[in-house]
Amino acid sequence: MNTAMDAHPVRLVVRDDLERSRLTVFFRLILAIPQFIWITVWTIGIFFVVVANWFVTVAAGRPATTLHGWTSAYVRYTVHFNAYLYLAANPYPGFTGEEGEYPIDLELPEPGPQERWKTFFRLFLAIPSLLLATALGGGFSTGFGSRRGNSRFSGFAGRGALAATCAVLGWFAILAQGRMPKGLRDASAYGIGYGAQVAAYLLLLTDRYPNADPTAMLDGVDRPPEHVVRLVGNADDLRFSRLTVFFRLPLAVPHILWLILWGIVAVLAVVANWFVTLFRGTPAGGLHRFVSRYVRYELHVYAFLYLVANPFPGFDGAPGRYPVDLVLPEPARQNRWKTGFRIILAIPALLVGTALGYGLFIAAVFTWFVALVRGAAPWGLRNYSAYVLRYQAQTNAYLALLTDAYPHASPLEGAPAPQQALFEPAA
Amino acid sequence: VTRRLSLVAALAAAWAAAAWFLWQSKVPSSLRLPHVDPHRYFTNPQLHAASSFSSVSDLLWVLGVVTEVVVLALFAWRGERFARESAAGPIGTGMLLGMLGFALVWLAQVPFTVLDLWWQRRHGLSNVGYATAVLGGWLALSAQFVFLCVALGVVMGLARLLGERWWIPAAPFFVGLVLLFAFVSPWLGTTHELRDPQLRATVRRLERIERVPNTPVVVAPVRDTTSVPNAEAEGLGPSRRVVLWDTLVYGPFTERELAVVVAHELGHLARHHIWKYVGWYALFAFPGAWAIARITRRRGGMANARAVPLALLVLVVLGLLALPLENAISRHMEAEADWMALRTTRDPAAAIGLFRGFVPTTLEEPSPSTFDYLLLENHPTIAQRISMALAWKRYAAQSP
């Protein structure tokens, strides 16, 4: 089954070198004020352009070239602006949305034929992707808000949980190091790119639905170093049983209860292992294996619950039995400082994990509907969910002292895989 | 063979002795219930409304049961194919098959659930919305699934350890589980204290007479979902209590009629009916578990996940076959509780008034058909209850 999608016509281009100016980063919000004002004005104007273009596209089956050009410039500008605001890029962006001049840029399609019915219902069709965009961030979320009954224009505001979280964490990191951590930059760029695809779809630049697949979005971006905690499994298997999809939540409840009960013992084991690791420098083998099983079981349960995998998982967290599985390290020497302050050090990873989790929930809800109708998961959403589960598993492994390797927020899998980025073939 | 026959005879004798012990009642065996003509106590519109309501309700129940059996039969036949949706071991796969079996039953019964709700709403008995009922049922599957997983985990685990004799330790385990549930269930619902001081004083007096002092009597807020009046005795030992639904306490019943209800429920506790229910459950659990073990042998026994769909079918069919007997046992205990209430309150007029009030508020037929009586009535019929009140009056007049 060929599940990988063709390249999306809206393509994110990342030429950023991660170097940042501490001064502009420190004052980033204030520096962005003129851009805020400009984008608000432009958004009001583009609203009328898009309405006109909607009539043209419904009538003629393709957008008007001039209106398409204006809208393209606007969408590209939102990417530049978001990249600047969310610290995914360093230089101050121009105000015109010129192509090829900014480190985080967007390639947009020329005006082409679009299906009329997709154009007619565009606003409704875009709702799922708009919701996911609010979780991932950047992109396009502008409109009118209401407070205490008084309508007011809220202007442009990137409200994405992921991009915003990465920006806040990145702000501190840049002030300390002068560089944006690659994981945070990649995650932020991914969120911005997805938002741009949503904007392009909603504003009639293309009728191709946004693709949440992180690997496709960051095509051409350097992969991070391989992490000791990574997913393995069969990436191509998107088949789902409609019956188990329909009853997925009740079916998962026994697992969730078992996870909670096991979790109580696992926490005690981690506390004991914390003392052992602190004094010996290496975790105790038995405790390490016990907690490893728990972390792997947690991944199996979440993969089942969030529709990343189809089969009902076992209750024992045994390796090699589930289609979405976890490679975990053997007990190895760990830095005592990192062990001593593990909970504090894990806070940024937990924040990113929480932001990703919001999107995971939305992705699971939409996957549920799609899988119920088609008997298969959407490729992009499944891969996004796999990315979140991988990151959360890395965070859990870090917190549970299975490794002192910090979770890597990049949506790209570290292991060089020629075909599938998020998975390796099962052993 | 002789040894086996002797063992079976001994077990049957022990079963019968235990059943005889559990069947003991305070209702005098010499008591003869006079015939009651429902037309003397109820108007024709009341009888017609109850009959009309019950006919559709019964039909929906029958359709629901037939659907359940058909779905489980189909599942027993072809359900094992769902094993491919599992990456768990044999026990986990058995759990999945068990859950899917009940999930399919629920799905097939959704139309009857909706129709039944529509029928109840039409008669003003339910205030539950359709979406709430369907979604709530879907979510309620979670609790059912948890119990099913525990049950199948125990059964399949024991079957892998002990082979066909898994039922010997499994039956006491399930009895223990029922006992545990009976003990903790009073703490699972939402209730508030009885606020009426006069009724509280009556409760204290009745508790003294029935020798169940300091039994909490509380009110359950159910008016948002139903208008049907009801009350329950629940719990064991320190958890025992009487729950009155607010539809009863704040319903069209007098203080004297409410006193009869409280005395009835206290009667359940005074006569240890919940313990007896557990005892009866134990008496059915052993032969039931044995039957499942025997019938599932052809699918490799309960150690094998393939046997689970068949086991579900057997369980449900056995439950249906035992239903008339279960209802008879329940009616027997309810009749004893009625007798205790009459003995305690010495107010047959209030009892008759209460039972008369049940017909317009619950749309229960005073004298239902034999089919209805055998399969659906776990309380004596309204006519029987009125009859018992009349019999008590005569009995009390004759007794010194």
Side-chain angles (χ1 to χ4, degrees):
Chain A
M1 182 168 51
N2 183 17
T3 43
M5 297 170 77
D6 299 333
H8 199 282
V10 178
R11 201 173 146 261
L12 191 76
V13 179
V14 180
R15 289 185 291 261
D16 171 55
D17 61 359
L18 302 174
E19 295 294 329
R20 300 287 183 270
S21 149
R22 286 186 174 90
L23 184 67
T24 66
V25 165
F26 187 78
F27 292 109
R28 186 63 57 107
L29 262 179
I30 298 166
L31 291 171
I33 287 173
Q35 307 272 357
F36 271 117
I37 295 167
W38 174 232
I39 203 165
T40 304
V41 173
W42 200 349
T43 301
I44 295 167
I46 213 71
F47 172 77
F48 297 102
V49 170
V50 170
V51 170
N53 212 9
W54 182 80
F55 282 106
V56 172
T57 313
V58 169
R62 60 187 302 138
T65 307
T66 313
L67 300 179
H68 183 91
W70 290 347
T71 313
S72 295
Y74 170 78
V75 172
R76 197 176 294 110
Y77 173 68
T78 64
V79 168
H80 299 168
F81 170 70
N82 276 314
Y84 183 71
L85 185 69
Y86 291 128
L87 310 176
N90 190 47
Y92 200 72
F95 288 81
T96 56
E98 281 291 318
E99 187 175 355
E101 67 164 23
Y102 203 70
I104 304 284
D105 205 8
L106 201 61
E107 287 179 4
L108 287 161
E110 292 299 311
Q114 295 192 22
E115 289 189 43
R116 286 186 172 86
W117 73 269
K118 281 188 187 172
T119 307
F120 190 82
F121 294 109
R122 185 65 54 94
L123 190 59
F124 299 102
L125 292 171
I127 288 171
S129 59
L130 276 168
L131 282 172
L132 189 58
T134 62
L136 299 182
F140 182 84
S141 61
T142 182
F144 289 88
S146 173
R147 184 175 291 171
R148 292 180 188 169
N150 300 319
S151 287
R152 64 184 175 82
F153 183 66
S154 63
F156 182 91
R159 299 185 191 117
L162 177 62
T165 307
C166 290
V168 170
L169 297 174
W171 190 82
F172 288 103
I174 292 165
L175 290 184
Q177 299 175 348
R179 277 175 71 84
M180 178 74 164
K182 177 175 165 51
L184 295 179
R185 195 282 312 271
D186 286 356
S188 193
Y190 164 65
I192 291 166
Y194 185 75
Q197 287 190 356
V198 174
Y201 180 72
L202 187 67
L203 304 185
L204 308 169
L205 297 181
T206 174
D207 63 354
R208 175 78 175 272
Y209 208 75
N211 178 14
D213 181 8
T215 312
M217 183 69 70
L218 298 178
D219 186 32
V221 176
D222 291 340
R223 296 187 185 290
E226 185 182 64
H227 199 280
V228 288
V229 177
R230 58 189 186 275
L231 292 190
V232 288
N234 180 4
D236 285 337
D237 188 9
L238 297 177
R239 186 190 66 85
F240 272 85
S241 150
R242 288 183 176 87
L243 182 68
T244 63
V245 167
F246 185 75
F247 291 105
R248 190 57 57 115
L249 186 58
L251 286 172
V253 166
H255 274 297
I256 293 166
L257 281 182
W258 180 235
L259 196 64
I260 291 168
L261 293 174
W262 191 350
I264 295 166
V265 185
V267 166
L268 296 176
V270 170
V271 171
N273 217 10
W274 184 77
F275 284 105
V276 174
T277 313
L278 204 57
F279 287 105
R280 262 182 30 181
T282 315
L287 293 172
H288 183 92
R289 279 188 294 278
F290 177 77
V291 177
S292 292
R293 279 226 165 195
Y294 175 76
V295 170
R296 190 179 292 108
Y297 174 64
E298 193 174 25
L299 176 88
H300 295 170
V301 173
Y302 286 161
F304 179 70
L305 178 66
Y306 289 111
L307 299 154
V308 179
N310 178 49
F312 189 74
F315 285 79
D316 53 1
R321 281 226 301 252
Y322 203 65
V324 176
D325 209 2
L326 200 58
V327 171
L328 286 164
E330 291 297 311
R333 189 144 204 92
Q334 295 189 24
N335 183 306
R336 282 192 173 84
W337 284 108
K338 288 183 183 175
T339 304
F341 294 101
R342 186 64 56 96
I343 293 179
I344 296 163
L345 291 171
I347 288 172
L350 287 169
L351 289 174
V352 173
T354 306
L356 284 168
Y358 173 44
L360 178 65
F361 173 76
I362 294 171
V365 171
F366 294 130
T367 303
W368 189 83
F369 284 106
V370 175
L372 212 53
V373 174
R374 288 174 32 189
W379 172 261
L381 287 181
R382 197 286 308 267
N383 282 359
Y384 166 71
S385 300
Y387 153 49
V388 178
L389 291 186
R390 185 187 71 217
Y391 185 77
Q392 291 183 339
Q394 288 178 356
T395 307
N396 290 340
Y398 182 72
L399 256 177
L401 306 164
L402 300 181
T403 175
D404 63 356
Y406 204 77
H408 205 288
S410 174
L412 297 169
E413 174 65 72
Q419 288 190 327
Q420 306 300 342
L422 284 166
F423 294 92
E424 289 178 352
Chain B
V1 175
T2 318
R3 260 184 65 188
R4 182 168 283 190
L5 278 176
S6 311
L7 181 66
V8 170
L11 287 174
W15 196 97
W20 177 85
F21 171 75
L22 293 172
W23 191 258
Q24 295 309 301
S25 170
K26 283 279 181 191
V27 181
S29 54
S30 59
L31 193 73
R32 293 286 168 266
L33 299 182
H35 173 72
V36 166
D37 177 10
H39 290 91
R40 268 195 64 195
Y41 293 91
F42 305 101
T43 63
N44 278 335
Q46 282 178 337
L47 291 173
H48 177 73
S51 165
S52 151
F53 176 78
S54 298
S55 58
V56 175
S57 273
D58 292 0
L59 178 69
L60 289 172
W61 182 83
V62 170
L63 290 173
V65 168
V66 170
T67 307
E68 183 179 16
V69 173
V70 169
V71 168
L72 285 178
L74 288 172
F75 190 66
W77 178 37
R78 304 297 294 272
E80 62 184 83
R81 62 166 61 180
F82 289 106
R84 70 181 176 202
E85 309 298 348
S86 172
I91 296 179
T93 303
M95 290 174 179
L96 175 69
L97 291 178
M99 291 190 284
L100 287 181
F102 278 117
L104 285 170
V105 167
W106 174 83
L107 204 57
Q109 285 186 325
V110 165
F112 305 113
T113 308
V114 171
L115 277 175
D116 190 47
L117 181 61
W118 166 76
W119 192 240
Q120 290 192 41
R121 285 169 60 102
R122 188 183 155 92
H123 289 84
L125 298 183
S126 177
N127 307 320
V128 178
Y130 295 104
T132 310
V134 174
L135 192 66
W138 187 76
L139 290 173
L141 280 174
S142 307
Q144 200 181 344
F145 284 0
V146 170
F147 177 77
L148 195 66
C149 281
V150 172
L152 283 169
V154 169
V155 166
M156 295 181 75
L158 287 171
R160 293 175 81 80
L161 270 176
L162 306 171
E164 272 185 36
R165 294 191 176 166
W166 62 264
W167 63 274
I168 300 172
F173 171 80
F174 286 113
V175 174
L177 216 56
V178 168
L179 212 55
L180 178 70
F181 185 73
F183 181 72
V184 301
S185 61
W187 292 307
L188 301 180
T190 310
T191 57
H192 61 76
E193 283 187 358
L194 192 59
R195 294 187 184 122
D196 181 353
Q198 197 180 334
L199 191 55
R200 284 167 70 166
T202 307
V203 167
R204 297 286 90 87
R205 183 173 59 80
L206 297 171
E207 285 176 349
R208 273 198 306 277
I209 300 171
E210 299 212 41
R211 294 182 185 167
V212 278
N214 304 320
T215 304
V217 177
V218 294
V219 178
V222 298
R223 269 192 295 189
D224 288 344
T225 55
T226 181
S227 66
V228 174
N230 202 0
E232 298 154 326
E234 51 186 32
L236 295 167
S239 75
R240 69 183 185 174
R241 65 180 189 171
V242 169
V243 180
L244 307 175
W245 290 14
D246 58 354
T247 45
L248 179 89
V249 177
Y250 309 115
F253 301 99
T254 63
E255 289 276 334
R256 282 169 56 203
E257 289 166 352
L258 291 178
V260 175
V261 175
V262 174
H264 170 99
E265 300 304 336
L266 291 173
H268 279 306
L269 297 178
R271 296 295 300 148
H272 308 295
H273 282 171
I274 294 168
W275 284 105
K276 286 184 179 177
Y277 272 120
V278 177
W280 281 110
Y281 176 82
L283 286 185
F284 285 103
F286 280 93
W290 174 81
I292 291 172
R294 293 286 292 185
I295 296 170
T296 52
R297 273 202 305 196
R298 67 165 103 157
R299 292 266 178 103
M302 286 304 295
N304 195 324
R306 288 175 59 234
V308 171
L310 181 63
L312 293 188
L313 176 66
V314 175
L315 182 71
V316 168
V317 170
L318 287 178
L320 278 174
L321 292 176
L323 195 57
L325 203 55
E326 248 178 68
N327 283 337
I329 293 164
S330 173
R331 285 196 300 267
H332 185 70
M333 290 194 212
E334 294 295 340
E336 187 180 27
D338 277 350
W339 185 258
M340 294 288 290
L342 288 162
R343 230 175 58 164
T344 308
T345 59
R346 308 184 73 79
D347 192 354
I352 291 170
L354 174 75
F355 300 141
R356 289 179 74 169
F358 281 161
V359 170
T361 51
T362 64
L363 295 181
E364 199 179 324
E365 277 190 287
S367 196
S369 66
T370 309
F371 170 83
D372 194 321
Y373 183 71
L374 290 176
L375 290 175
L376 293 171
E377 297 294 336
N378 53 17
H379 282 59
T381 66
I382 301 278
Q384 285 175 332
R385 301 179 89 170
I386 291 173
S387 178
M388 179 173 271
L390 296 172
W392 182 87
K393 200 171 169 184
R394 203 167 55 198
Y395 179 85
Q398 288 166 0
S399 303

